Amino acid sequence: MNPRVAQIKTQAETSLAEFFSARASTGAHEAARQKAVALFAEKGLPHRRVEAWHYTDLRNLMREAWPLAAPAAAKVAANDGLRVDIVDGACAGLPRALPAGLTIRALRDVLAKADAALIAQLFPEAGSHDSVVALNAGLARDGVVVETAAGVKIDTPIELAFTTGQGAPRSDMSRCLVIAGAGSSATIIETHASAARAQRNSALVCWLGEGAGVDHVFETTDASPELHVASLIVDVGARASFQSFGFIAHGDLLRRQCFIRQSGEYAKIGLRGVCLLKGKQHADTTLAIEHAVPQGESRELFKHIIMGEASGVYQGKVLVRPGAQKTDGGMKSQALLLSDDAAMYNKPELEIYADDVVCGHGATIGELDADQVFYLMSRGLPKARAEGVLIEAFAREAIEFVGNETARARFEETLSAWLEARS
Amino acid sequence: MLEIRNLHARVGDKQILHGVTLCVKAGEVAAIMGPNGSGKSTLSYVIAGRAGYEVTEGEVLLDGENILDMPPNERAAKGLFLAFQYPLEIPGVTTHTFLRAAMNAQRKQRGEAELTVPAFMKVMNAGAEKLGIAKDMLRRGLNVGFSGGEKKRLEVLQMALLEPRFGILDETDSGLDIDALRIVAEGVNALRSAARGFLVITHYQRLLDYIVPDSVHVLSAGRVVKSGGKELAHELEKNGYRDYVADAA
Ligand SMILES: Nc1ncnc2c1ncn2[C@@H]1O[C@H](COP(=O)(O)OP(=O)(O)OP(=O)(O)O)[C@@H](O)[C@H]1O
Ligand SMILES: [Mg+2]
């Protein structure tokens, strides 16, 4: 009856389907979960004929699915500062003390008594068509829910530290929810590590109320999971500002996908990032930005620096819905290839259905400018140093947008060390 | 000090230098003049070590040492400096950061201690003031948005800070206003000493009124076709290159 040729399931897809059926009914969000399970059953893992995944053929790259990490011990550690630990997909550490107006709770506790409104926030429409997001919706059991009360300014960054326990290879799935109250502001720093070989599927869902400000940072570490799909799903309300910076320097295979929706007028969206890739690393940044209402602003700036046989992907799609007049969009993606075998796939896209908008994009792929290198060398800088100066300048144009000073300094340091190691 | 012996060089398939021989002794200033396209900048790039310029014959000795096999940074550390005809713009690298990196890179290659930030700021600011370079320019991207004359002043500032043993100035006077020409020439003259040599490439005799050369050479079609004293520059100013171009052809 289905006219499509049924695809033969890969070993990984078969395992993932088994993980689904092994899960007991979950209560309040069972309907959302079943919907996701059905979607995954139909679509399977994304592959190169799925446009959004064209350059990252996950079905082909993910030969097997490692067993789901066992839920961590129920005990939750009390952390200093505003640090949250997500270990093996479960909330394992929460801040000992919270400033007024900030609540942070384990998702499993919230789910136990969640109402329909919260379930809807946790499983938004945006991104739900993506089968890896569906996989997450179907299999993640825990994570964290962060809420800021109206008008509250949280100065200390809230750190979401993802890792795994030690031991056998595993997959870990988690879903986190941030609800920023009207006029509140907060910084969320997401760091990813793992102590075992890991396949990670993490999703972060953010809702920004009117006039809220969220500054988000996504950061890899030198112990990053081998395979990681990180989904960021955001709804930006009126006059709110959502800024996200991705700093990617580690991990074998990373896909960062951002589904950002401007749902209120005069909202601002800023997505930026730097990718430092070497060896056989592959990093894919795919953005779907939707301006659903008028007067929105979006800015994207991504810089890839690629050497060895590594490959980078940037796909940025800006959709301006009919009626989303006065949208102001600007997208820039630039890549620097430092070796013959380095590859970059750059695909900015504008889909505009409103007539009174200003949207532009620019994408470049290039090598270091030999004349600039010579100029610096003629002043005494050794070749590697001269190249390093130019690469740093290239990356810094994006890094300077990182709002959090500590994170910015950390990225600059990682960049220097990365450049040091290449010479 | 600098000896260019029978230098032949090409870019790609195009042979540009056809046997240049020229010697500049310590303490001397040699001027090179010559028509557009005669190979003056090519000569300066070959001496500085720009990639893509292939030496097919001959050698260049600095203090008796052949420098042609050294990368540009080693030549710089040996004391060679080229003030570019067209200085490059490098966005994202602030001018003062670049100046400090250059000074320290050379000190390091010579086994000297790096300059501290305050010590560097002091020499940089003093040098900039002498050349009439505004402080805010030093905070901008290297040469980015600088006017033609500002770029040339910055080249001379770099030379003053790096204190090379041998300086090549490729049309440093073009683009300079009358006052700047004098200031820049004074900057060069201040560096003149018994231990230093200069090669000054120019189209205009006026620069040579300020930086008085010990010898003047005419480069035409990749060869030195005439050498003489400073009076040769006056003669060229009056009669042009007609006689020498005809000789070369
Ligand atoms: N990369 C290149 N490829 C081909 N030809 C080149 C290249 N660079 C220089 N040339 C040629 O070599 C010749 C010499 O150029 P060069 O820049 O050395 O001249 P110049 O004497 O400095 O001239 P000007 O007085 O205009 O500065 C010119 O004919 C020029 O077109
Ligand atoms: Mg020239």
Side-chain angles (χ1 to χ4, degrees), chain A residues 371-372 375 377 379-380, chain B residues 50 82 89 106 109 155 158:
Chain A
D371 291 341
Q372 291 183 340
Y375 188 58
M377 286 180 78
R379 299 310 185 235
Chain B
R50 185 174 183 167
L82 166 63
E89 299 193 4
Q106 294 204 16
Q109 275 180 65
E155 292 290 292
Q158 292 175 44

Side-chain angles (χ1 to χ4, degrees), chain A residues 4-321:
Chain A
R4 286 185 316 126
V5 178
Q7 256 195 122
I8 296 163
K9 270 196 179 144
T10 62
Q11 193 191 333
E13 285 167 338
T14 309
S15 308
L16 290 164
E18 281 166 18
F19 298 163
F20 278 135
S21 38
R23 290 286 303 278
S25 166
T26 47
H29 71 292
E30 188 57 21
R33 208 176 80 84
Q34 286 305 335
K35 208 173 130 191
V37 171
L39 188 130
F40 185 80
E42 186 205 323
K43 292 193 173 178
L45 286 170
H47 46 78
R48 66 189 169 75
R49 287 187 307 283
V50 176
E51 203 193 338
W53 286 82
H54 183 69
Y55 301 103
T56 304
D57 188 340
L58 195 65
R59 192 169 193 261
N60 193 33
L61 291 164
M62 191 176 158
R63 287 283 138 160
E64 48 178 342
W66 293 333
L68 271 184
K75 197 167 154 10
V76 171
N79 291 337
D80 292 335
L82 294 183
R83 179 185 162 111
V84 173
D85 294 308
I86 314 279
V87 180
D88 286 325
C91 177
L94 286 172
R96 189 188 312 278
L98 292 170
L102 176 66
T103 46
I104 304 182
R105 294 171 293 166
L107 176 65
R108 58 174 185 267
D109 295 338
V110 175
L111 274 178
K113 37 190 182 288
D115 56 17
L118 191 112
I119 297 297
Q121 282 185 309
L122 192 59
F123 300 99
E125 180 60 29
S128 63
H129 58 279
D130 179 89
S131 52
V132 178
V133 173
L135 199 56
N136 180 287
L139 289 172
R141 323 168 221 239
D142 201 1
V144 81
V145 178
V146 176
E147 282 173 272
T148 54
V152 169
K153 305 237 173 301
I154 310 296
D155 295 324
T156 311
I158 300 162
E159 189 191 347
L160 307 181
F162 295 79
T163 189
T164 66
Q166 290 178 337
R170 67 198 61 197
S171 38
D172 72 86
M173 314 235 181
S174 60
R175 185 167 279 238
C176 295
L177 177 63
V178 173
I179 300 173
S184 70
S185 71
T187 297
I188 309 274
I189 297 182
E190 202 187 321
T191 64
H192 287 273
S194 61
R197 295 183 63 189
Q199 295 173 331
R200 177 162 303 156
N201 179 336
S202 61
L204 174 64
V205 182
C206 302
W207 292 83
L208 276 69
E210 185 166 347
V214 171
D215 200 352
H216 169 253
V217 169
F218 174 93
E219 189 177 345
T220 62
T221 68
D222 53 11
S224 287
E226 283 181 31
L227 188 158
H228 185 186
V229 180
S231 305
L232 177 67
I233 303 160
V234 186
D235 186 282
V236 192
R239 273 170 280 274
S241 162
F242 180 78
Q243 306 291 318
S244 176
F245 193 93
F247 188 82
I248 295 165
H250 317 86
D252 298 342
L253 176 54
L254 172 67
R255 155 93 168 190
R256 203 177 159 233
Q257 47 181 2
C258 306
F259 305 93
I260 317 291
R261 184 166 192 271
Q262 177 224 341
S263 66
E265 295 192 5
Y266 298 98
K268 284 186 162 63
I269 296 165
L271 306 173
R272 297 175 182 93
V274 165
C275 285
L276 310 175
L277 306 175
K278 62 183 176 192
K280 291 180 187 294
Q281 280 181 288
H282 176 83
D284 174 334
T285 299
T286 295
L287 315 174
I289 297 140
E290 179 188 346
H291 290 285
V293 298
Q295 306 282 5
E297 179 191 295
S298 60
R299 289 287 178 275
E300 296 79 33
L301 175 63
F302 284 82
K303 301 261 187 177
H304 284 75
I305 299 160
I306 311 176
M307 55 191 256
E309 297 165 52
S311 49
V313 178
Y314 172 81
Q315 302 185 101
K317 188 175 196 167
V318 177
L319 166 65
V320 181
R321 292 262 184 223

